[in-house]
Amino acid sequence: MSDQVCCPTIVPVLDQPLLDQELATLCKALSHPARVKLIRIMLAQSGCVGQDLVSALGLAQSTVSEHIRILKEAGLVDAENQRPKVCYSVNEAKLKRYQHLLADALG
Amino acid sequence: MSDQVCCPTIVPVLDQPLLDQELATLCKALSHPARVKLIRIMLAQSGCVGQDLVSALGLAQSTVSEHIRILKEAGLVDAENQRPKVCYSVNEAKLKRYQHLLADALG
DNA sequence: TTCCTATATCGTCGATAGACGATTAATGTC
DNA sequence: GACATTAATCGTCTATCGACGATATAGGAA
């Protein structure tokens, strides 16, 4: 048991493994600068075709596609098929949820 | 060049590689549930000794130490030496900066 | 049908993450 | 001095990430 100076009592912090996991997963999705930029671009123009994202990032098409996949998997990005193109856009609800979780967990 | 339906014009999104990187780095620090929980615990009791964190997480001491190191490296956690113990606490300023960055970049 | 375009997926590679046990370093205590 | 306690570091292992080129897939256009 630890003592006085810095933490006199051990506050029982609620175990919230699901929330910890959800927040961590969302953070992970944004843990790469390319993915942050993707979100910024999509927000700025309310949806964007993949080709333009490839140009904007200056990475290989397969690499950008993979970043988009990760964002979709986290629920942060939606894809609307307009064959042969695809329109990607930010899922605003998920973004809000993310910020809510953050505010909730981290004050 | 892409056309009409989903993104009529290509909005020139400001290149902000430093901000993208900073936000991504902070997100990465929180991209593991154990680290989210560490922050939650530290916030709940305004500082905490390592031993208690080890008990709370149920992971090996070396593993917890590594998670703490990552949080310190991101600037999210400060350590105050109280030999032989160490008191860890959340750097509130950095936390605020994180939320500010998020709000700024992601609306 | 035969191309062309746009996106997704596959396979590969090197780098990094995450876990652990063992060890080290720094103190306080006996 | 010998010992116990606490945290940091080291070494090792497996798993995952991030990049790329090559290929597959699905439509539209000629």
Side-chain angles (χ1 to χ4, degrees), chain B residues 74-93:
Chain B
L76 284 168
V77 160
D78 296 323
E80 185 197 343
N81 222 317
Q82 299 173 348
R83 290 284 181 190
K85 301 181 180 180
V86 177
C87 173
Y88 305 103
S89 56
V90 172
N91 183 320
E92 307 264 2

Side-chain angles (χ1 to χ4, degrees), chain A residues 50-95:
Chain A
Q51 181 71 2
D52 297 332
L53 297 171
V54 171
S55 319
L57 291 194
L59 294 172
Q61 179 268 326
S62 56
T63 304
V64 174
S65 179
E66 172 69 2
H67 283 305
I68 293 171
R69 190 192 63 75
I70 290 169
L71 291 170
K72 280 195 294 182
E73 193 169 277
L76 284 168
V77 161
D78 295 322
E80 186 196 344
N81 222 314
Q82 298 173 348
R83 292 283 181 190
K85 300 182 180 180
V86 178
C87 174
Y88 305 102
S89 56
V90 172
N91 183 320
E92 307 264 2
K94 196 73 176 183
L95 203 55

Side-chain angles (χ1 to χ4, degrees), chain A residues 43 92 95-96 99, chain B residues 101-107:
Chain A
L43 281 174
E92 307 264 2
L95 203 55
K96 290 250 178 299
Q99 288 173 311
Chain B
L101 275 179
L102 259 184
D104 222 47
L106 311 187

Side-chain angles (χ1 to χ4, degrees), chain A residues 102 105-107, chain B residues 26 30 39 43 74-77 90-102:
Chain A
L102 259 184
L106 311 186
Chain B
L26 285 167
L30 290 175
I39 296 284
L43 281 174
L76 284 168
V77 160
V90 172
N91 183 320
E92 307 264 2
K94 197 71 176 184
L95 204 54
K96 289 251 179 302
R97 166 104 182 127
Y98 176 36
Q99 289 174 310
H100 174 74
L101 275 179
L102 259 184

